[in-house]
């Protein structure tokens, strides 16, 4: 997206008239900082993506990587983004933009991150040859729709293994570091989208974006106002729902089927799936867990008497890997056969 200003794009050199307050292009502008986050926003191919307004590059003393500065400037130019080369006098303003956190000399002014508000996930479908699924969109203001978009069709890449999409539902994840880490892990492993409970989860602060290492700019994000209704309506549309839980000491007949990650086969080959994760302290709320089709837990080694659970972002990585790992054809017999064979080695090939 081009910036709000018109005309040819050029590199500005900040003069001595430094603003006393932070300059905003729009009242809703956010400031992204740090190399990975800024580069991800400039390189993002997500639809919809942020509007990008202005890139500030610190051009003062002790710059160690001018090639990286030039590369990010080229990325900004290709997106039609104004670039300001800021000298020593601007360092204080840049520090304000990043709220005093390390920015590595890069600040990008942009619109808010698109997070489509949805009430449920719909059926898998194909539109103009593109695979995807429908969603029911919750109410948006005109300003929110301009940021989040209004399309109710979510595109997904065609799976070479015939896998259906996997969507995470995060509820009560209040630590911004954990939220960012889950987003980063999910994007790396190939999760289709992340739905986040809007009432009891961490806000999308720059800390979340930094912890995601730029992954938040590429993965599809949903906001959910009523998670319980979201789960019920998505199940009715054909989605299978898994609840991430701690291992049960005894089976409760009133609870869903309970499986360990070792027992899980390949659910994505049959149904699109939702994996719900709750807070570290209390776990998944009962009104969500009771609506799951399957309780899913990670079996520990039972070697420690003091550690009986995992950090939620670590657990998310293990669980997502269980869903998304590629099934490999059984090759044990050929390998054993190869081990039993005696291979004759020519004399000229022997080293000793």
């Amino acid at each position: 997206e081009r910036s709000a200003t018109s005309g040819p794009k050029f590199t500005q050199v900040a003069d001595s008239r430094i603003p006393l307050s932070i300059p905003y292009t729009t009242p809703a502008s956010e400031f992204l900082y740090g190399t990975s986050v800024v580069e991800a926003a400039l390189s993002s191919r997500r639809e919809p993506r942020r509007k990008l307004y202005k890139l500030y590059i610190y051009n003062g003393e002790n710059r160690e990587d001018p090639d990286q500065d030039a590369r990010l400037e080229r990325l900004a130019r290709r997106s039609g983004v104004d670039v300001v080369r800021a000298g020593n006098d601007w360092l204080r303003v840049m520090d304000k933009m990043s709220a005093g956190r390390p920015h590595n000399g890069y600040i990008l002014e942009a619109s808010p991150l698109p997070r489509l508000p949805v009430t449920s996930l719909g059926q898998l479908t194909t539109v103009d040859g593109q695979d995807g699924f429908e969603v029911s969109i919750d109410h948006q203001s005109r300003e929110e729709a301009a940021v989040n978009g209004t399309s109710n069709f979510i595109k997904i890449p065609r799976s070479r293994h015939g896998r259906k999409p996997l969507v995470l539902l995060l509820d009560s994840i209040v630590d911004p570091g954990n939220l960012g880490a889950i987003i980063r892990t999910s994007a790396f492993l190939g999760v289709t989208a992340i739905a986040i409970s809007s009432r009891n989860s961490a806000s999308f602060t720059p800390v979340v974006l930094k912890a995601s290492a730029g992954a938040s700019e590429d993965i599809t994000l949903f906001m959910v106002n009523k998670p319980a209704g979201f789960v019920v309506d998505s199940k009715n549309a054909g989605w299978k729902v898994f609840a991430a839980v701690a291992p049960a000491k005894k089976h409760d007949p009133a609870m869903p089927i309970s499986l360990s990650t070792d027992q899980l086969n390949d659910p994505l080959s049959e149904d699109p799936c939702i994996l719900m994760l709750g807070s570290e302290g209390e776990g998944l709320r009962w009104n969500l867990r009771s609506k799951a089709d399957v309780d899913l837990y990670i079996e520990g080694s039972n070697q420690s008497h003091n550690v009986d659970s995992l950090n939620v972002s670590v657990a998310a990585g293990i669980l997502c890997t269980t869903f998304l790992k590629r099934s490999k054809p059984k090759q044990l017999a050929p390998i054993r056969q190869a081990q039993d064979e005696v291979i004759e080695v020519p004399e000229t090939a022997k080293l000793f």
Side-chain angles (χ1 to χ4, degrees), residues 260-337:
S260 74
T261 50
D262 294 333
Q263 297 170 319
L264 191 68
N265 292 322
D266 188 8
L268 294 179
S269 65
E270 300 176 359
D271 304 293
C273 296
I274 296 172
L275 172 62
M276 303 187 294
L277 293 103
S279 69
E280 284 190 46
E282 302 298 327
L284 199 61
R285 290 185 295 158
W286 170 252
N287 71 326
L288 293 178
R289 180 179 175 183
S290 62
K291 294 174 175 59
D293 297 301
V294 178
D295 278 351
L296 186 62
Y297 63 91
I298 301 169
E299 188 71 70
S301 66
N302 297 319
Q303 292 183 1
S304 174
H305 299 289
N306 299 319
V307 179
D308 59 359
S309 63
L310 292 169
N311 172 278
V312 66
S313 64
V314 175
I318 296 173
L319 292 167
C320 290
T321 299
T322 303
F323 278 89
L324 297 166
K325 65 185 178 182
R326 297 177 183 177
S327 57
K328 299 180 180 179
K330 294 182 179 181
Q331 297 180 341
L332 295 180
I335 292 174
R336 175 58 59 87
Q337 183 178 355

Side-chain angles (χ1 to χ4, degrees), residues 1 48-51 111-112 114 140-150:
E1 297 285 347
R49 61 176 286 189
R50 294 179 187 265
K51 293 179 176 66
S111 67
Q140 299 189 91
S141 67
R142 181 180 301 177
E143 293 78 12
E144 290 169 337
V147 171
N148 301 320
T150 57

Side-chain angles (χ1 to χ4, degrees), residues 230-244:
F230 171 87
V231 171
V232 171
D233 292 343
S234 299
K235 285 179 65 174
N236 291 335
W239 292 73
K240 191 168 185 176
V241 179
F242 292 78

